Amino acid sequence: MADLSPQLPKTRSTTIPFWRDIRVLGVLAQIAFVIVAVMGITWVVRNTLANLDELGESQFICRDGTSSFRCAYDFMRLDAQFDIAETPIPYEPSDSYWRALGVAAVNTLKVTVLGVILATVLGTLAGIARLSSNWLVSNLAKWYVDLMRNTPLLLQLFFLYFSVILVLPPIKEAIQPFNLPIFFSQRGINIPAPVFMPSFAVWLAFVVLGIIQAQVLWIILGRQEELTGKSSNRFRWALVSFLLVVGIGWYVSGSLTSTQAIMTPKSLRVREFKDLQKIMLNRLKLADLGDIELALSNGTLTQEDIDAAAFRICAQKESASEVNLTSQLRNANIPYTVKRSTRLDQATEAYANGECEILVASQSLLAAEREALEDGANHVILPIAETPVRISIPNLEGLNFVGGAKLTPEFAAILIGLVLYTGGFIAEIVRAGIQAVPKGQSEAARALGLSESQRLRLIVLPQALRVIIPPITSQYLNLAKNSTLAQAIAFPDLWTVSYTTINQSGRAIQIMLIVMGSYLSLSLIISALLNWYNRRIALVER
Amino acid sequence: MDKLETAEDIIICRNVHKWYGDFHALKGINLTVKKGEVIVIIGPSGSGKSTFIRTINRLEEHQEGEIIVDGILLSHDVRNIAEIRREVGMVFQQFNLFPHLTVLENVTLAPIHVRKWSRDHAEEVAMKWLTRVGIPEQAHKYPGQLSGGQQQRVAIARALAMEPKIMLFDEPTSALDPEMIKEVLDVMRDLARSGYTILAVTHEMGFAREVADRVIFFDGGQIVEQNTPDQFFTNPKHERTKLFLSQILHH
């Protein structure tokens, strides 16, 4: 029998000199790295401290006039004394630097969160479009991606801001695409926005109730399925019952709460909401309010007639009850004008002076206001219908849009710019992800009889996601960090306001630490969320 | 749907042609398969045998001729295609299991989404098939955690869970290690004996001899010869068949 055991080579010695030993080399490399790192950090810290010394103790003045490291951030309590163009939370120049940076941070978050969502939607659509067999669709997507990827972002932002948004027509001639209630003008973009009524809270309770009872129904039907062995389509039933409860809740919560009302002089003779319609028909001498447009075009009515006949409403600025009333008037085609006052008692005064025919507010407030009127008995209070949410539509009054939500030109430019740019990269990632799923997966899905949409939804996209998530994470991080380019078009994001703060306070190091810490936290949160998601969808292998 | 032929003939192919660009892959295939028949298709690589069985459930489109499966004409009508795919199960060389779903989810996916069964019923049927192919204990693992032979048996259970009338096997053992081929062939043998209509492209001559009702030899996109396994292996008529058999049987 042949000896199959391996022979040790004789020519090489079994002891290895340490400079060839892979274990020793590993330890040496780590020691070398630690030395270099410690030296680097020491240099940075000493340099910073030296610079601080040079700047003098003026950097660290405490409130009692002494100077100490502990007071490095005390200056942040001083008045900022500069204005911020866009304030999602209340802010005045007399507020502190802290508050100014807080406002700016909210602006950055707004751009980042909206940007990430919209860029994902746009990128996914463009990525799927690139795989389309339709020549026009796939080439449009290709040109979009190439244009975005091959030009600098800063250039795109300048182009968007100066050559697209700022050359829009003045506010009086705002562009309204397809007659939708969206207005593009030099002053930005005005869009409709939801306004939550007091009954929204009641409706939310119905939503919770709906979820609970759908869950219960789901369990009951599940038990029944087990007993009978028949499918009872429980998803459909649970959904139907949920929608039923939520739908009923929509009306019930409106009529239950009915907290809002209008006040009119008795002489107007309004007993219910419909009377407003009758009065307007009388004033305009029309049979149907839907005919206003027609009457305008054939000359039986002029715009002046309508303006004269329109109901004059007094309301407090930005009150939910105003939106509630005007959206109902709009639905009924009843013309109206609104006079807004800063406080309710000013609105009541205007009403008492006869400047308007209708005062709108919450029921309890109106009762109190009527008490204050000299001739209170001559006025009636009439509750008006309410739904949990009403849509507020922008309306040009004088030189400004009232109602709805507004995107300033700067915000619109930075948001659209970041979305278009990042969307181009995401499109390529999505396309690569879909193409990375082997053809055999689609064949197996088809052979099992799955429809094309089931194949995409159940087989291709879940697998493509594994490939898509890691590179898309870095695109989200890029978007968050690229938002600092807002400075170029003067959108007050965190970096822009921090830069102003540095110039004004002279505390570069303190502010820089705050800014770096903020962007670092934002990036870490984004990565943590996506890493968690990536782990959840990862494939299990041996 | 008109019943186009007698119930006995479950697959009818008349003069089926297919081109890939200029390449003429199928040159007029005529074949009728009876219900319950087990057919093994052999032939050199590139002879069109895989392409042929893939035209039966429209993974490949044929350009000329007609294919009727279970009385349904295979046309451009997506409803006909969907109907045929529901009745035809397929097992691939590379298994093509869905790696992001567990074994049980792989098997229940189509019954739930295509047949619209309740989850409980689908799982019950799935477990029955997983038991039949001998791996009920792997139901909650992912395909990546199984051996090749186990994966192919899951793929067979996945196709069977749709309760198809016809099973297509496209070289089901070619990607397996030798010791795993037997476990897959055992399952196929079991199916052949329990009355399924089977079309299998395979190089397993032992399997062909043992369970096939008919052996078909493909070459150059045409059916060169077909016969019972006995006659086919002992007494091949065509020169090309003799050459092929001598190459694979005496290597």
Side-chain angles (χ1 to χ4, degrees), chain A residues 216-252:
Chain A
V216 170
L217 188 67
W218 175 270
I219 292 167
I220 292 174
L221 286 179
R223 290 223 181 104
Q224 210 170 356
E225 265 180 28
E226 259 172 45
L227 283 178
T228 58
K230 267 189 228 153
S231 167
S232 53
N233 232 330
R234 47 187 186 147
F235 179 76
R236 190 180 301 167
W237 285 117
L239 188 71
V240 165
S241 67
F242 171 74
L243 291 178
L244 206 66
V245 170
V246 169
I248 291 171
W250 181 267
Y251 289 102
V252 171

Side-chain angles (χ1 to χ4, degrees), chain A residues 389-510:
Chain A
V389 180
R390 290 271 189 207
I391 303 295
S392 162
I393 288 176
N395 191 25
L396 187 62
E397 283 176 17
L399 282 174
N400 269 312
F401 276 101
V402 178
K406 182 189 176 193
L407 309 180
T408 62
E410 293 75 26
F411 180 72
I414 186 73
L415 181 66
I416 296 173
L418 286 174
V419 165
L420 285 177
Y421 181 77
T422 315
F425 288 87
I426 292 179
E428 281 297 271
I429 293 170
V430 169
R431 179 179 67 91
I434 290 176
Q435 285 181 332
V437 178
K439 237 178 80 199
Q441 292 290 311
S442 289
E443 287 184 349
R446 289 200 182 104
L448 284 168
L450 295 179
S451 71
E452 288 303 286
S453 69
Q454 286 174 331
R455 177 180 67 87
L456 256 183
R457 184 164 53 85
L458 299 168
I459 306 302
V460 176
L461 283 182
Q463 294 188 61
L465 268 183
R466 295 179 289 128
V467 186
I468 289 173
I469 294 299
I472 226 173
T473 309
S474 40
Q475 288 308 324
Y476 289 170
L477 296 178
N478 279 347
L479 189 145
K481 291 179 294 179
N482 284 341
S483 70
T484 51
L485 287 175
Q487 193 183 25
I489 51 174
F491 173 73
D493 80 322
L494 181 58
W495 168 239
T496 310
V497 173
S498 302
Y499 192 77
T500 313
T501 309
I502 291 174
N503 281 337
Q504 199 166 305
S505 68
R507 264 83 161 187
I509 291 167
Q510 288 98 315

Side-chain angles (χ1 to χ4, degrees), chain A residues 14-208:
Chain A
T14 46
T15 55
I16 318 166
F18 76 89
W19 61 87
R20 278 202 336 242
D21 188 331
I22 198 160
R23 293 161 297 183
V24 178
L25 288 176
V27 172
L28 286 179
Q30 287 197 25
I31 292 171
F33 175 77
V34 168
I35 292 172
V36 171
V38 167
M39 279 166 60
I41 291 168
T42 317
W43 181 80
V44 169
V45 170
R46 284 186 54 173
N47 203 27
T48 309
L49 290 178
N51 284 347
L52 283 177
D53 270 347
E54 218 164 287
L55 284 170
E57 295 179 334
S58 62
Q59 290 271 323
F60 313 118
I61 295 170
C62 299
R63 257 172 296 179
D64 57 8
T66 58
S67 178
S68 156
F69 256 129
R70 279 180 291 107
C71 305
Y73 280 100
D74 275 14
F75 75 96
M76 290 291 284
R77 296 210 191 95
L78 301 176
D79 292 356
Q81 290 175 340
F82 52 76
D83 209 355
I84 297 180
E86 236 176 306
T87 52
I89 52 176
Y91 169 82
E92 300 289 332
S94 56
D95 284 326
S96 68
Y97 282 124
W98 279 125
R99 185 141 190 113
L101 287 190
V103 169
V106 174
N107 276 335
T108 288
L109 274 181
K110 220 166 71 175
V111 169
T112 307
V113 172
L114 277 175
V116 161
I117 294 169
L118 294 177
T120 309
V121 173
L122 178 69
T124 308
L125 290 179
I128 293 174
R130 270 210 73 174
L131 292 171
S132 163
S133 51
N134 183 317
W135 184 89
L136 186 66
V137 170
S138 77
N139 271 280
L140 272 179
K142 185 168 138 40
W143 293 328
Y144 156 66
V145 168
D146 281 344
L147 183 69
M148 290 301 140
R149 291 203 309 175
N150 294 315
T151 51
L153 174 56
L154 190 57
L155 189 78
Q156 292 174 19
L157 286 176
F158 274 132
F159 178 80
L160 206 58
Y161 184 58
F162 291 109
S163 315
V164 178
I165 293 179
L166 288 191
V167 297
L168 284 170
I171 200 156
K172 279 278 185 194
E173 299 151 27
I175 300 171
Q176 196 184 0
F178 309 114
N179 245 351
L180 292 170
I182 301 172
F183 301 88
F184 292 88
S185 71
Q186 282 172 353
R187 301 255 205 101
I189 305 171
N190 291 78
I191 53 172
V195 174
F196 301 104
M197 299 292 148
S199 57
F200 184 73
V202 182
W203 184 63
L204 268 188
F206 274 93
V207 173
V208 172

